[in-house]
């Protein structure tokens, strides 16, 4: 079957349509910051932190410069020592393990569930050692890992749990929000995330008053008062203008979550009978906000090329797990995580956003069927 003539390229994530719907509110929020001129720790920061804490159900929200910075600050607040270990998944963006190393600890990789690509809780106990200090599951693609099981394992061994929630803001797990499920949660407001700003941004969530105070001090160079540096810190503040953008976007966020659920469910229905295609499982006790709509495909390179020829963008999150990356390979045996290796060869993400139209979604599905035929 011949492919149709190329048409207008579909947006992988349609931020332009989102801005068009929010233009007046976004512009007004930004203008307010320009008028008062408090670009660092302006009033919008406290307003945003209160709104995000209320949304997640967490006691504290500490806004920071990026999701990566959120992980680093949370790890620093735990006062890790050289040689300490943090259990995590290799099937994630590099920032997860990168910040563990920069905090002076060692990432210990545990393989993933083959159907969700999240950390396999059943494998954690075997990797806990005398230097283990924390467990960092990643809520990949927008679905929370099995946090109750992970928290129970951590409690048995006196460990902290840090949810890397960079992709799951707004997701629920057994009736609770991502961000309020563990010792810490760290999320990202990178523009492509479910809740994104117009630059870099992130946040840390915790119910622990002491850890929250530590994070607030660390994000301003370890200051407990102006020019009183009581701990090591970083320059990790969120810009006030980015907070203003996020506040404007929160007005539409519940609608966007509903749309993400609907678009994800429609993809699953349209793709469930495509030969050779595998779909991610969503556990019945949680939902997924589909930061990426990711599928498993055979012959991925050829499929991507065929889709590109039809104006359908795709991406791969992530082609090479961290235990295969040169920077981290020495930390782990090369064959420790075969499920992650297999997923890295087969995952492919399709266009996904709250503003994806049914017509464009139909076009994506039809093109994918042809590419796999």
């Amino acid at each position: 079957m011949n492919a149709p003539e190329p048409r207008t390229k579909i947006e992988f994530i349609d931020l332009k349509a989102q801005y068009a719907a929010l233009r007046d509110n976004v512009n007004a929020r930004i203008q307010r910051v320009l008028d008062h001129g408090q670009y660092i720790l302006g009033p919008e920061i406290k307003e945003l932190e209160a709104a995000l804490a209320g949304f997640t159900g967490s006691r504290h929200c500490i806004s920071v410069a990026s999701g990566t910075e959120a992980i680093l600050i949370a790890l620093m607040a735990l006062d890790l020592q050289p040689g300490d270990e943090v259990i995590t998944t290799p099937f994630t963006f590099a920032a997860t393990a990168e910040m563990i190393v920069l905090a002076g600890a060692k990432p210990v990789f545990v393989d993933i569930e083959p159907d969700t690509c999240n950390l396999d809780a059943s494998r954690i106990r075997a990797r806990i050692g005398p230097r283990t200090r924390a467990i960092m599951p990643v809520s990949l693609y927008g679905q929370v890992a099995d946090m109750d099981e992970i928290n129970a394992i951590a409690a048995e061994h006196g460990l902290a749990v840090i949810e890397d929630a960079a992709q799951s803001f707004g997701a629920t797990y057994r009736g609770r929000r991502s961000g309020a499920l563990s010792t810490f949660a760290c999320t990202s407001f990178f523009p492509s995330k479910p809740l994104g700003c117009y630059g870099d941004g992130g946040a840390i969530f915790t119910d622990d008053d002491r850890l929250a105070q530590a994070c607030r001090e660390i994000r301003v160079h370890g200051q407990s008062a102006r020019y009183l540096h009581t701990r090591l810190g970083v320059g990790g503040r969120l810009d006030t203008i980015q907070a203003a953008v996020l506040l404007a976007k929160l007005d539409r966020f519940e609608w966007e979550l509903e749309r993400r659920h609907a678009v994800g469910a429609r993809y699953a229905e349209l793709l469930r009978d495509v030969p050779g295609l595998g779909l991610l499982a969503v556990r019945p006790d949680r939902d997924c906000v589909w930061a990426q709509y990711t599928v498993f495909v055979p012959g991925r390179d050829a499929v991507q090329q065929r889709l590109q020829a039809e104006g359908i963008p795709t991406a791969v999150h992530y082609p090479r797990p961290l235990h295969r990356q040169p920077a981290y390979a020495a930390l782990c045996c090369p064959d420790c995580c075969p499920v992650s290796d297999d997923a890295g060869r087969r995952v492919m993400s399709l266009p996904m956003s709250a503003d994806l139209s049914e017509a464009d979604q139909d076009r994506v599905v039809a093109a994918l069927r042809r590419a796999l035929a």
Side-chain angles (χ1 to χ4, degrees):
M1 181 184 297
N2 293 328
E5 291 297 316
R7 289 180 281 171
T8 304
K9 183 178 178 180
I10 293 172
E11 295 286 343
F12 185 68
I13 299 171
D14 196 349
L15 297 178
K16 297 173 188 175
Q18 183 193 57
Y19 173 65
L22 291 166
R23 180 183 288 110
D24 290 347
N25 197 4
V26 168
N27 291 353
R29 280 281 190 176
I30 292 174
Q31 187 60 54
R32 199 171 307 162
V33 177
L34 297 175
D35 289 341
H36 66 56
Q38 299 176 56
Y39 301 115
I40 302 297
L41 297 180
E44 285 79 5
I45 295 294
K46 285 189 176 180
E47 182 184 356
L48 175 68
E49 290 176 343
L52 296 178
F55 179 84
T56 61
S58 185
R59 182 192 296 267
H60 300 284
C61 171
I62 303 94
S63 61
V64 293
S66 69
T68 302
E69 206 78 18
I71 295 172
L72 178 61
I73 292 171
L75 289 165
M76 291 176 70
L78 294 176
D79 294 322
L80 299 177
Q81 301 301 309
D84 285 346
E85 296 177 348
V86 178
I87 289 173
T88 192
T89 166
F91 198 67
T92 179
F93 184 60
T96 306
E98 182 181 44
M99 293 303 102
I100 295 171
V101 175
L102 287 178
K106 174 186 175 182
V108 174
F109 296 126
V110 170
D111 214 349
I112 59 174
E113 299 172 334
D115 57 347
T116 69
C117 292
N118 274 332
L119 183 67
D120 188 339
S122 71
R123 299 173 183 264
I124 291 174
R125 283 186 177 87
R127 299 292 281 156
I128 293 175
R131 299 303 302 270
T132 306
R133 290 289 311 281
I135 306 171
M136 191 186 301
V138 176
S139 297
L140 199 67
Y141 302 140
Q143 178 179 195
V144 174
D146 192 357
M147 295 301 294
D148 282 355
E149 177 63 18
I150 293 169
N151 286 331
I153 295 168
E156 291 173 12
H157 297 273
L159 307 176
V161 177
I162 303 172
E163 181 195 4
D164 181 340
Q167 300 179 15
S168 61
F169 188 80
T172 60
Y173 170 85
R174 298 180 180 176
R176 294 166 287 155
R177 293 278 192 191
S178 174
L181 302 171
S182 54
T183 315
F184 277 123
C186 301
T187 200
S188 169
F189 301 128
F190 188 79
S192 62
K193 296 297 191 274
L195 179 64
C197 54
Y198 291 159
D200 270 321
I204 303 165
F205 300 92
T206 184
D207 286 340
D208 188 299
D209 295 345
R210 180 184 63 83
L211 291 176
Q213 183 59 30
C215 290
R216 291 191 179 98
E217 293 174 4
I218 292 168
R219 77 171 173 182
V220 287
H221 303 283
Q223 292 185 101
S224 57
R226 187 163 176 80
Y227 297 128
L228 178 60
H229 302 268
T230 51
R231 60 173 72 237
L232 291 176
V234 296
R237 299 162 297 200
L238 179 70
D239 294 342
T240 308
I241 284 180
Q242 300 302 340
V245 171
L246 291 166
L247 284 165
K249 287 194 173 189
L250 276 175
D251 291 344
R252 190 185 191 237
F253 189 57
E254 290 284 6
W255 176 86
E256 291 197 7
L257 289 176
E258 292 176 5
R259 285 288 302 144
R260 284 180 171 275
H261 295 151
V263 173
R266 191 166 187 269
Y267 260 138
E269 178 63 24
L270 293 172
L271 295 172
R272 62 185 174 86
D273 63 345
V274 177
L277 188 74
L279 303 182
L280 283 171
V282 178
R283 299 283 187 254
D285 60 354
R286 65 204 77 168
D287 61 20
C288 185
V289 294
W290 299 115
Q292 294 87 28
Y293 191 86
T294 301
V295 296
F296 301 100
V297 296
R300 183 177 62 206
D301 291 348
V303 171
Q304 286 190 284
Q305 290 172 11
R306 291 167 192 153
L307 291 172
Q308 184 178 17
E310 295 199 42
I312 308 297
T314 59
V316 178
H317 308 91
Y318 300 93
R320 181 182 292 186
L322 298 187
H323 67 288
R324 299 290 186 186
Q325 297 285 353
Y328 307 103
L331 300 173
C332 195
C333 60
D335 299 320
C336 66
C337 298
V339 182
S340 296
D341 288 330
D342 180 65
R345 289 187 289 266
R346 297 192 296 128
V347 290
M348 183 182 77
S349 300
L350 303 174
M352 178 68 196
S353 65
D355 294 288
L356 182 67
S357 69
E358 288 192 356
D360 281 347
Q361 193 175 21
D362 289 341
R363 185 178 153 199
V364 171
V365 170
L368 182 56
R369 285 181 177 275
R370 286 191 292 270
L372 288 167

